[in-house]
C-alpha cells in the first residue's frame, strides 16, 4: 500500500526534517565538539558532493565527533566541510557523507575519490531518515569507483561489528528485519561503509527526524563508534 | 785513540768479598799452624786457598774493559739496504723508485762512503733480505710482495760477527710487515748501531685504483631488496678514465655499471641493488676492469660476499599507542601484505581501557603493556607512538631497555611535539634512544610544511631506497610534505642521523627528524614526525613507497636479533696463513639462568666444504669469547656456530684475498723511517735533501761517535779459561801440598 508521503518523497523528507533546521541553528550557536588543537589526531571531513552542500542533518558531523571523543582518548579536530575535489580531501583520513536524495558523482569526483580511498582514506556514508533514494544512488555510484568492486553487505561476523562495541544484531525499529552495514573494498580492505537505515539520524539530533524507524539510537551510537574505530585500526 | 780502561760493574762485591778473602786466609793459616805445619808452609797453603776465593770474588764483581772510542774504519762496515718490494716499481718522472735508489747509491752515496774509508755491504730486501753486490742490484727488479724492514735490519746486523757502524736503508718507507720489528730494533739498540733512512719515491704516490672490499647483508629475506656494495679507492692527480664494474652471481654476470672515479684521492661505495625470489645461498663477486691509464696500479680488482636468502621467520611488532592515531592505521596498511611482519596493536583508548589487535592468544597483553621480558620476547620490535612520559612507568622503561639491550630487540619512538617531550629528560627511555630530549621546544603552532631531508648516509642506505628505477635523492625530494614534528636536542655520540629538517636549525644544527643507534644487542630509533600518514594519503604520493619505507624500517630495527650467536670479525688484515681473529657472543634470552653457559661447536669450512678447524666452546651468556683459525689459502671460509645437536646457531662468511698490499699505499712514508731513526739514534731524510753526500757521511759518523761516547763499548774481562784454570790450579796445588805436608 502506498501512502501519500511515498508518492511525494521530497515533501515527506522536508516535513520529517523540519526539526533539523532548528537543530542546525542551535548547533551553530553551540560550542563546537571539535577544536583546532594541533595535537588532535582524529580528523573528519564532511563531504559536499554532486549538488549536495553537505548540510543534510546539519549537526551530524559534530555529533559524531562528540561521540568519538566521549568514548575514547582521541583528540578530535573540528569537522571540515570538503568537496571531493578539494585538495584538503587528502589531508583528511576520515570522511562522512550523508544525504536524502539521489545523486550522481562527476568524473572528477569519482577520480578524486578513487585516489583517496586507494591511498588509505575512509568514507562513512549514511542515508538520512531511512530515505531509499540516497542509498540506492550510493550503491550505484560507488560501484563506479573501483572496477569490479560493488557495495556488499557486511555480515555480523565482520570485525567492524566488534571493533569497539560487540554488536551481534541490529534490528530495524519499524520492520521485522535485521539491519546490516554495507561496504566497498579495495584490495581486500574495507574503505567505505554505508548504512541506509538512518544511522546518522540515530546518533544525532536525538533521533527526532527518524524516530521509531530504522536503527535505534543505542545501536546507532555503537555502530558509529565501531565504524570510526575500525577506520582508525584497519 | 784513548786506551781501554778496566773497571768493575759491581764493585760492591769487593766490599763483601775482601773480608771474606782475609777470613779464609786467616782461618786457613791458623788451622794449618794448629795442625803442626811450619809457618812458611801454612802461609803458603792459606795463600793458595785465599787466591782461589779472591778470583771468585773478582769474577763476582764483573770485571769489564771499557772503550770510549769507535774502532778504526777498517774494522767495520756499513750495511746498505735497498728496498726491492713492488711499491718501489712506482714511477716518478719516468723513473722507478728502485732505479732512483740505485742511482743515488751509485752516484752519490757509495763514492762518499769510499772517500771516508768505509766498507759497504749491500743487501736487497723485501719480505726477506739477501746480500747483493752492485751487479746483482742492477740486475734485480722490484717485485717483492711484502716489505719487512725489521727483518732486513736484523739480517744485516747478524751478517758479520762484528756489528756494522751503521745501517743505511734506501726505501720508500712503505712497510707492511711488522712481525720482525722488535727483533730488528733490539739488534740496533744492543749493538748501538744507528739506522739511517733515506727515502726515495714521491710524496704524491702512484695512480692507484683498488677494490678494498665487498659488503652485503649475511642474511636477507626472499623478495626483500638488498645491496651488494663495493668499496673502491682511487688516487690520482688527474681524472682517471671511466671503468666498468661487474657483478657476478654464482659465477654469472648479472649487472654491470660504468663508474667515473673523478680526480684526487677518494674512497667511495658503488652498490648493486638486488632481490632474490627464492631461498638459497649465493656468492656475489664484484670485479672491475682496470681502465687503460698509464702507470695505474691496482692492489685488488675483485671482492666477494656471500648472501643467504631465507624465508624469514615472523617478525612481530608491538605498536604501543597512548591513544588511537591514524599512523597506526596507515602502518597497518603498509605491512598488511608483508608475509613476515605482523603488527600487534596495543592502544589505550581511555583511562581504564585498552585496545588489543592481532594478539595471538586470548591472554596475550591482557593487562596492557608487558611486565616481564618473557612477555616481550615474542616481539622483535616495539613502536612507541604518541606516548606521554606518564604513559610509561620507570619499570616499563627499564623493561624496554632490557628488551633492546639484552634481547636484541628494536625500539622505535614516533610522534610529534607531545611525544618528544622534555619530561623524558634523564629517563631510562632517553638512555635507550639515539637522541637527547630538549627542554627548549620552540614556539608552538609555527610548524610549516616540510619534507624529510635524508642525510648523505641515508641516501646510501638500503633502508631509504624506495624505488627500483629512481635514485633515492630524487624519490625523497618528491615526497609529499608533512606538517608537524617533534624537537629533540641532539644526537648521541655514535648515533646515526638519517633525516633532518630542511629549514629549522636548532642550537645543535639542523633539527633531527630521524636517527638510530645500536643499543646493546639491539637497535633504537626515533622518527620525530607527527602524522606521518599524510605521506601515504597525499594525492601525489605513491602508497607503495610509504609501505616500503615502513617495512624496511621495521626489518632494519628487527634485524639485530636475527641470530642467537653473534660472530664478529676483529679489525685485522685478512690473508692466507695468518690467524683470523673472531669474537663469538651469545645473545641473552629471556629464559636464561644467571651464570649459564652455552656449549657450542665452532666449525670453519673452505669453499670445498673441507673442515679447516673445529672446536668445542662454552659461551657465557652475553660475554664475548675470542677464537681464531688459520686459512691455508685464499678463498671464502664459512664460519659456523652450532649447538650441541649440530643445529646452526649462526654463520658468517670470511673472505681471504690475495691483495697486493704493496699498492695499497704508494706514497713514500718518511715517518716510518723517522721512527726507526729516532729509536736507534740515527737520522732519516729524503734523498733529494742529501745534496752533499760527504756531509751525509759526516752526519752518520757524528751519530756513531755520539752513540759510542754516551754508550761506551763494554767488554767483559775475566770470564775466560785462563782465570778458570788459575782457580783450579790454585785449589789443586793447595790440595796436593796439603796432603803431602800433612801426611809427612
Amino acid at each position: 500500500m502506498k501512502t501519500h508521503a511515498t508518492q511525494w518523497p521530497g515533501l515527506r523528507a522536508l516535513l520529517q526534517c523540519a526539526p533539523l533546521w532548528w537543530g542546525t541553528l542551535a548547533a551553530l550557536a553551540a560550542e563546537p565538539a571539535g577544536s583546532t588543537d594541533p595535537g588532535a589526531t582524529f580528523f573528519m571531513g564532511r563531504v559536499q558532493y554532486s549538488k549536495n552542500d553537505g548540510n543534510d542533518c546539519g549537526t551530524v558531523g559534530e555529533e559524531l565527533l562528540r561521540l568519538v571523543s566521549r568514548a575514547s582518548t582521541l583528540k578530535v579536530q573540528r569537522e571540515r566541510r570538503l568537496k571531493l575535489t578539494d585538495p584538503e580531501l587528502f589531508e583528511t583520513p576520515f570522511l562522512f557523507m550523508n544525504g536524502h536524495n539521489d545523486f550522481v558523482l562527476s568524473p572528477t569526483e569519482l577520480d578524486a575519490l578513487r585516489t583517496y580511498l586507494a591511498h588509505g582514506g575512509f568514507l562513512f556514508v549514511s542515508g538520512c531518515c531511512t530515505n531509499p533514494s540516497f542509498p540506492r544512488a550510493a550503491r550505484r555510484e560507488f560501484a563506479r569507483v573501483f572496477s569490479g568492486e560493488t557495495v556488499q553487505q557486511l555480515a555480523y561476523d565482520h570485525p567492524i561489528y566488534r571493533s569497539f562495541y560487540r554488536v551481534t544484531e541490529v534490528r530495524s525499529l519499524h520492520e521485522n528485519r535485521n539491519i546490516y552495514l554495507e561496504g566497498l573494498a579495495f584490495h581486500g580492505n574495507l574503505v567505505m561503509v554505508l548504512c541506509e537505515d538512518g544511522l546518522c539520524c540515530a546518533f544525532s539530533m536525538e533521533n527526532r527526524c527518524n524516530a521509531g524507524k530504522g536503527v535505534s539510537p543505542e545501536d546507532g551510537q555503537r555502530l558509529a563508534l565501531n565504524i570510526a574505530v575500525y577506520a582508525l585500526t584497519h | 785513540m784513548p786506551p781501554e780502561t778496566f773497571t768493575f760493574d759491581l764493585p760492591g762485591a769487593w766490599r763483601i768479598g775482601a773480608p771474606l778473602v782475609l777470613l779464609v786466609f786467616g782461618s786457613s793459616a791458623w788451622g794449618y799452624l794448629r795442625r803442626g805445619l811450619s809457618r812458611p808452609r801454612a802461609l803458603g797453603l792459606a795463600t793458595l786457598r785465599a787466591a782461589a776465593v779472591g778470583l771468585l770474588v773478582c769474577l763476582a764483581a764483573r770485571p769489564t774493559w771499557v772503550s770510549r772510542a769507535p774502532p778504526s774504519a777498517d774494522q767495520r762496515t756499513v750495511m746498505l739496504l735497498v728496498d726491492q718490494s713492488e711499491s718501489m716499481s712506482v714511477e716518478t718522472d719516468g723513473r722507478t723508485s728502485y732505479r732512483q735508489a740505485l742511482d743515488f747509491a751509485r752516484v752519490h752515496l757509495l763514492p762518499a762512503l769510499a772517500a771516508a774509508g768505509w766498507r759497504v755491504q749491500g743487501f736487497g730486501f723485501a719480505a726477506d733480505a739477501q746480500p747483493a753486490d752492485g751487479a746483482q742490484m742492477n740486475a734485480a727488479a722490484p717485485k717483492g710482495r711484502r716489505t719487512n724492514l725489521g727483518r732486513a735490519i736484523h739480517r744485516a746486523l747478524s751478517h758479520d760477527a762484528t756489528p756494522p757502524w751503521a745501517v743505511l736503508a734506501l726505501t720508500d718507507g712503505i712497510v707492511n710487515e711488522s712481525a720482525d720489528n722488535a727483533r730488528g730494533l733490539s739488534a740496533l739498540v744492543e749493538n748501538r748501531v744507528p739506522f739511517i733512512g733515506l727515502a726515495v719515491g714521491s710524496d704524491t704516490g702512484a695512480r692507484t685504483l683498488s677494490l678494498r672490499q665487498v659488503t652485503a647483508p649475511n642474511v636477507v629475506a626472499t623478495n626483500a631488496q638488498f645491496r651488494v656494495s663495493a668499496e673502491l679507492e682511487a688516487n690520482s692527480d688527474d681524472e682517471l678514465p671511466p671503468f666498468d664494474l661487474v657483478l657476478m652471481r654464482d659465477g654469472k654476470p648479472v649487472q654491470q655499471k660504468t663508474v667515473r672515479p673523478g680526480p684526487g684521492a677518494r674512497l667511495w661505495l658503488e652498490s648493486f641493488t638486488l632481490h632474490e625470489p627464492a631461498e638459497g645461498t649465493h656468492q656475489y663477486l664484484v670485479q672491475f676492469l682496470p681502465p687503460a691509464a698509464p702507470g695505474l696500479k691496482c692492489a685488488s680488482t675483485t671482492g666477494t660476499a656471500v648472501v643467504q636468502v631465507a624465508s624469514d621467520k615472523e617478525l612481530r611488532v608491538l605498536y604501543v599507542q597512548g591513544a588511537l592515531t591514524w599512523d597506526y592505521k596507515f602502518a597497518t596498511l603498509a605491512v598488511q601484505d608483508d608475509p613476515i611482519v605482523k603488527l600487534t596493536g596495543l592502544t589505550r583508548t581511555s583511562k581504564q581501557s585498552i585496545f588489543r589487535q592481532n594478539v595471538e592468544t586470548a591472554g596475550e597483553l591482557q593487562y596492557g603493556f608487558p611486565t616481564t621480558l618473557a612477555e616481550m620476547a615474542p616481539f622483535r620490535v616495539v613502536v612507541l607512538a604518541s606516548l606521554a612520559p606518564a604513559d610509561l612507568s620507570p619499570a616499563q622503561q627499564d623493561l624496554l631497555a632490557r628488551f633492546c639491550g639484552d634481547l636484541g630487540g628494536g625500539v622505535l619512538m614516533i610522534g610529534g611535539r607531545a611525544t618528544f617531550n622534555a619530561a623524558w629528560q634523564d629517563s631510562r627511555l632517553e638512555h635507550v634512544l639515539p637522541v637527547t630530549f630538549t627542554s627548549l621546544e620552540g614556539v608552538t603552532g609555527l610548524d610549516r610544511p616540510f619534507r624529510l631531508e635524508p642525510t648523505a648516509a641515508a641516501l646510501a642506505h638500503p633502508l631509504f631506497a624506495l624505488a627500483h628505477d629512481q635514485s633515492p635523492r630524487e624519490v625523497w625530494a618528491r615526497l609529499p610534505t608533512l606538517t608537524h614534528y617533534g624537537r629533540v636536542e641532539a644526537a648521541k655520540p655514535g648515533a646515526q642521523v638519517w633525516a633532518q629538517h630542511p629549514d629549522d636549525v636548532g642550537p645543535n644544527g639542523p633539527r633531527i627528524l630521524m636517527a638510530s643507534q645500536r643499543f646493546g644487542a639491539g637497535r633504537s630509533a626515533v622518527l620525530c614526525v607527527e602524522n606521518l600518514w599524510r605521506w601515504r594519503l597525499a594525492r601525489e604520493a605513491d602508497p607503495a613507497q610509504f609501505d616500503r619505507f615502513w617495512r624496511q624500517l621495521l626489518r632494519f630495527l628487527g634485524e639485530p636479533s636475527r641470530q642467537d650467536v653473534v660472530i664478529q670479525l676483529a679489525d685485522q688484515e685478512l690473508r692466507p696463513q695468518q690467524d683470523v681473529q673472531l669474537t663469538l657472543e651469545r645473545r641473552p634470552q629471556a629464559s636464561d639462568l644467571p651464570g649459564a653457559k652455552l656449549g657450542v661447536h665452532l666449525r670453519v669450512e673452505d669453499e670445498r666444504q673441507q673442515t679447516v678447524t673445529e672446536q668445542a666452546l662454552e659461551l657465557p651468556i652475553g660475554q664475548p669469547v675470542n677464537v681464531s683459525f688459520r686459512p691455508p689459502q685464499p678463498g671464502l671460509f664459512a664460519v659456523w656456530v652450532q649447538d650441541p645437536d649440530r643445529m646452526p646457531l649462526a654463520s658468517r662468511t670470511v673472505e681471504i684475498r690475495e691483495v697486493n698490499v704493496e699498492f695499497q699505499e704508494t706514497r713514500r712514508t718518511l715517518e716510518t723511517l723517522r721512527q726507526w731513526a729516532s729509536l736507534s739514534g740515527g737520522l732519516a731524510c729524503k734523498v733529494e735533501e742529501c745534496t752533499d753526500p760527504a756531509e751525509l757521511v759526516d752526519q752518520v759518523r757524528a751519530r756513531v761517535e755520539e752513540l759510542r761516547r754516551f754508550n761506551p763499548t763494554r767488554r767483559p774481562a775475566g770470564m775466560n779459561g785462563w782465570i778458570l784454570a788459575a782457580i783450579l790450579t790454585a785449589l789443586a796445588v793447595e790440595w796436593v801440598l796439603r796432603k803431602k805436608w800433612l801426611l809427612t
Side-chain angles (χ1 to χ4, degrees):
Chain A
M1 184 180 74
K2 288 186 177 178
T3 63
H4 178 75
T6 53
Q7 291 170 3
W8 299 90
L11 177 63
R12 180 190 173 197
L14 192 65
L15 289 171
Q16 285 180 332
C17 289
L20 291 184
W21 307 119
W22 292 107
T24 305
L25 288 173
L28 287 173
E31 186 183 346
S35 67
T36 53
D37 182 359
T41 53
F42 192 84
F43 302 84
M44 195 198 76
R46 183 85 183 271
V47 179
Q48 300 168 326
Y49 57 94
S50 186
K51 294 174 183 173
N52 185 292
D53 60 0
N55 281 321
D56 286 33
C57 301
T59 62
V60 65
E62 300 289 353
E63 296 277 6
L64 179 58
L65 287 173
R66 192 169 287 132
L67 187 67
V68 170
S69 66
R70 265 210 315 264
S72 73
T73 52
L74 280 172
K75 286 185 177 179
V76 296
Q77 182 69 276
R78 187 198 298 266
E79 78 162 28
R80 295 171 177 170
R81 298 292 173 100
L82 294 168
K83 292 178 182 172
L84 287 175
T85 51
D86 284 347
E88 290 78 14
L89 183 79
F90 294 91
E91 298 171 359
T92 314
F94 187 86
L95 296 180
F96 178 70
M97 174 177 172
N98 67 345
H100 292 84
N101 303 314
D102 194 358
F103 66 94
V104 175
L105 296 176
S106 70
T108 316
E109 288 177 318
L110 277 174
D111 186 53
L113 193 58
R114 186 179 299 116
T115 305
Y116 172 80
L117 296 176
H119 284 202
F122 192 90
L123 178 61
F124 174 17
V125 183
S126 175
C128 287
C129 308
T130 327
N131 191 327
S133 301
F134 178 84
R136 192 163 50 229
R139 290 185 197 103
R140 183 191 69 231
E141 292 303 303
F142 289 120
R144 298 165 62 202
V145 176
F146 298 115
S147 175
E149 293 286 356
T150 57
V151 179
Q152 302 281 333
Q153 189 180 80
L154 303 176
Y156 287 132
D157 59 356
H158 193 278
I160 200 166
Y161 293 104
R162 55 177 189 276
S163 60
F164 194 83
Y165 292 111
R166 181 172 293 275
V167 178
T168 54
E169 187 182 55
V170 182
R171 294 293 295 174
S172 169
L173 289 179
H174 69 293
E175 292 174 329
N176 184 23
R177 65 176 176 89
N178 284 339
I179 292 173
Y180 293 91
L181 297 175
E182 296 169 72
L184 179 74
F186 173 69
H187 287 175
N189 295 320
L190 188 65
V191 293
M192 187 280 287
V193 169
L194 165 70
C195 185
E196 65 171 331
D197 290 282
L199 176 58
C200 61
C201 307
F203 63 78
S204 67
M205 309 292 293
E206 298 174 349
N207 199 29
R208 288 192 297 269
C209 65
N210 202 35
K213 292 184 179 177
V215 182
S216 69
E218 295 76 23
D219 283 343
Q221 290 186 9
R222 290 180 174 187
L223 283 177
L225 194 57
N226 273 17
I227 292 168
V229 172
Y230 183 89
L232 275 159
T233 54
H234 289 81
Chain B
M1 187 175 71
E4 288 183 322
T5 56
F6 182 81
T7 184
F8 291 99
D9 282 348
L10 294 174
W14 278 116
R15 279 194 284 274
I16 300 169
L20 181 66
V21 172
L22 291 174
L23 186 64
V24 168
F25 177 79
S27 63
S28 300
W30 184 66
Y32 291 140
L33 287 172
R34 283 193 64 191
R35 292 169 72 178
L37 283 181
S38 63
R39 180 171 293 183
R41 287 185 174 183
L43 290 176
L45 288 176
T47 301
L48 285 170
R49 187 174 288 187
V53 175
L55 284 170
L56 288 173
V57 172
C58 178
L59 291 177
R62 292 178 63 178
T64 306
W65 289 107
V66 177
S67 170
R68 296 186 177 276
S72 59
D74 56 348
Q75 289 178 311
R76 299 280 177 104
T77 56
V78 171
M79 297 296 177
L80 178 62
L81 307 177
V82 181
D83 190 348
Q84 294 177 334
S85 65
E86 202 165 358
S87 63
M88 293 288 283
S89 66
V90 171
E91 292 188 5
T92 308
D93 300 328
R95 191 172 59 152
T96 65
S97 300
Y98 184 64
R99 185 52 53 191
Q100 183 189 5
L102 292 186
D103 290 349
F104 178 79
R106 181 170 48 81
V107 176
H108 302 289
L109 188 60
L110 294 177
L113 291 170
W118 296 354
R119 287 190 298 138
V120 176
Q121 170 64 57
F123 280 83
F125 79 98
D128 207 342
Q130 297 295 332
D133 58 20
Q136 290 171 319
M137 293 268 196
N138 266 321
K143 293 190 294 189
R145 304 288 284 181
R146 296 261 165 187
T147 307
N148 190 339
L149 183 56
R151 178 177 291 186
I153 291 170
H154 185 259
R155 284 283 164 88
L157 288 170
S158 56
H159 182 258
D160 290 333
T162 310
W165 260 32
V167 173
L168 277 69
L170 281 162
T171 172
D172 53 16
I174 303 163
V175 176
N176 40 49
E177 282 281 4
S178 57
D180 295 302
N181 282 2
R183 280 204 304 166
L185 186 62
S186 297
L188 284 174
V189 172
E190 284 173 8
N191 292 294
R192 294 177 303 285
V193 176
F195 173 84
I196 313 297
L198 302 169
V200 294
S202 83
D203 294 324
T204 54
R207 306 171 92 191
T208 59
L209 177 63
S210 297
L211 194 155
R212 288 168 66 105
Q213 64 172 339
V214 172
T215 54
N218 293 330
V219 184
V220 297
T222 49
N223 291 313
Q225 193 180 67
F226 65 98
R227 288 184 177 185
V228 176
S229 301
E231 190 178 317
L232 295 159
E233 184 176 30
N235 179 46
S236 176
D237 286 340
D238 52 354
E239 189 154 355
L240 285 172
F243 62 90
D244 287 337
L245 199 63
V246 181
L247 174 70
M248 317 267 278
R249 175 181 174 275
D250 299 330
K252 294 177 182 172
V254 287
Q255 289 189 41
Q256 182 169 351
K257 66 196 299 188
T258 301
V259 179
R260 299 181 183 282
R266 290 183 62 205
L267 183 65
W268 77 105
L269 279 180
E270 293 289 344
S271 297
F272 296 95
T273 304
L274 301 145
H275 67 280
E276 293 287 353
E279 290 186 37
T281 301
H282 301 288
Q283 194 179 102
Y284 294 95
L285 182 142
V286 180
Q287 179 173 20
F288 74 80
L289 312 172
L296 181 69
K297 305 288 185 187
C298 301
S300 174
T301 60
T302 62
T304 308
V306 174
V307 178
Q308 183 187 356
V309 184
S311 290
D312 201 352
K313 55 188 177 184
E314 196 172 74
L315 193 161
R316 288 194 71 194
V317 178
L318 177 61
Y319 200 107
V320 184
Q321 301 182 95
L324 283 167
T325 65
W326 292 107
D327 273 335
Y328 174 66
K329 175 226 177 82
F330 282 83
T332 304
L333 289 176
V335 303
Q336 67 174 354
D337 293 330
D338 194 302
I340 298 161
V341 179
K342 304 293 178 201
L343 207 62
T344 295
L346 181 66
T347 308
R348 189 164 57 81
T349 51
S350 70
K351 286 183 180 173
Q352 284 80 33
S353 62
I354 55 167
F355 175 79
R356 298 180 299 154
Q357 192 175 22
N358 296 334
V359 289
E360 293 202 335
T361 62
E364 190 174 54
L365 306 174
Q366 189 176 7
Y367 303 107
F369 195 86
T371 52
T372 63
L373 265 187
E375 281 184 90
M376 296 200 83
F379 301 99
R380 284 166 62 184
V381 178
V382 173
V383 181
L384 307 171
S386 300
L387 280 176
D391 293 331
L392 276 184
S393 68
Q396 289 170 327
Q397 295 178 43
D398 199 51
L399 197 62
L400 273 172
R402 290 187 61 200
F403 168 73
C404 186
D406 295 348
L407 290 190
V411 173
L412 169 68
M413 192 171 192
I414 178 172
R417 191 185 294 270
T419 301
F420 291 93
N421 190 303
W424 289 112
Q425 279 184 321
D426 301 324
S427 66
R428 186 78 171 114
L429 188 65
E430 187 190 45
H431 184 57
V432 175
L433 297 176
V435 293
T436 52
F437 289 80
T438 180
S439 51
L440 303 170
E441 298 182 359
V443 183
T444 58
L446 291 185
D447 290 4
R448 289 182 294 180
F450 65 94
R451 283 190 172 85
L452 278 173
E453 188 171 276
T455 58
L459 292 171
H461 197 279
L463 169 59
F464 292 82
L466 302 181
H468 288 289
D469 52 349
Q470 298 170 67
S471 75
R473 189 181 298 279
E474 290 174 11
V475 172
W476 282 87
R478 284 202 298 268
L479 289 190
T481 55
L482 302 164
T483 53
H484 296 87
Y485 57 99
R487 273 73 166 171
V488 295
E489 188 170 71
K492 290 179 185 169
Q496 176 67 57
V497 176
W498 296 113
Q500 296 169 324
H501 195 286
D503 307 316
D504 188 1
V505 177
N508 298 303
R511 292 280 187 193
I512 295 168
L513 296 182
M514 186 176 174
S516 73
Q517 72 170 7
R518 295 301 294 255
F519 181 80
R523 187 175 272 150
S524 65
V526 293
L527 187 49
C528 313
V529 176
E530 190 171 315
N531 300 327
L532 189 67
W533 55 266
R534 289 175 182 277
W535 171 0
R536 194 183 199 272
L537 188 61
R539 180 166 206 158
E540 69 274 21
D542 177 359
Q545 292 179 349
F546 175 89
D547 297 352
R548 189 164 159 182
F549 176 70
W550 262 110
R551 292 175 185 189
Q552 290 176 172
L553 177 58
L554 294 174
R555 280 184 167 81
F556 171 72
L557 291 169
E559 191 177 48
S561 60
R562 294 175 70 94
Q563 295 190 329
D564 294 334
V565 175
V566 182
I567 306 172
Q568 288 182 323
L569 198 59
D571 186 16
Q572 62 196 302
E573 186 188 355
L574 300 174
R575 60 184 172 111
Q577 300 292 344
Q578 187 160 302
D579 284 351
V580 175
Q581 305 293 332
L582 298 166
T583 303
L584 309 183
E585 184 174 349
R586 160 99 196 281
R587 292 191 189 287
Q589 307 286 325
S591 56
D592 285 339
L593 297 172
K597 291 182 177 179
L598 175 71
V600 297
H601 288 276
L602 173 77
R603 193 158 58 89
V604 181
E605 295 175 348
D606 63 12
E607 286 175 87
R608 293 167 298 172
Q609 298 186 327
Q610 300 291 316
T611 301
V612 175
T613 186
E614 188 165 17
Q615 52 185 299
L617 298 166
E618 283 202 328
L619 298 183
I621 309 301
Q623 291 179 23
V625 172
N626 295 323
V627 293
S628 65
F629 73 95
R630 178 164 291 198
Q633 73 279 331
L636 289 169
F637 292 85
V639 181
W640 292 92
V641 178
Q642 301 165 319
D643 69 8
D645 298 326
R646 300 289 173 159
M647 293 299 291
L649 297 170
S651 68
R652 174 170 191 148
T653 304
V654 179
E655 184 187 17
I656 307 296
R657 295 191 297 166
E658 278 287 15
V659 176
N660 191 340
V661 292
E662 285 293 314
F663 291 137
Q664 283 185 332
E665 177 59 68
T666 56
R667 286 172 292 192
R668 69 177 164 189
T669 312
L670 191 58
E671 187 54 35
T672 305
L673 304 182
R674 282 191 177 133
Q675 287 176 9
W676 280 99
S678 167
L679 293 169
S680 64
L683 60 93
C685 60
K686 301 174 183 176
V687 288
E688 60 266 28
E689 293 170 354
C690 302
T691 50
D692 185 356
E695 185 184 344
L696 173 67
V697 172
D698 288 343
Q699 285 185 20
V700 174
R701 187 199 300 275
R703 299 280 169 161
V704 172
E705 289 177 352
E706 187 177 357
L707 274 176
R708 299 191 69 79
R709 185 162 55 249
F710 290 106
N711 300 287
T713 305
R714 308 180 74 84
R715 187 161 54 86
M719 287 300 289
N720 52 50
W722 291 111
I723 295 294
L724 193 61
I727 293 171
L728 292 174
T729 303
L731 291 175
V733 169
E734 189 266 352
W735 183 79
V736 169
L737 292 176
R738 179 158 46 89
K739 292 292 180 188
K740 182 179 177 184
W741 290 337
L742 285 177
L743 289 174
T744 56

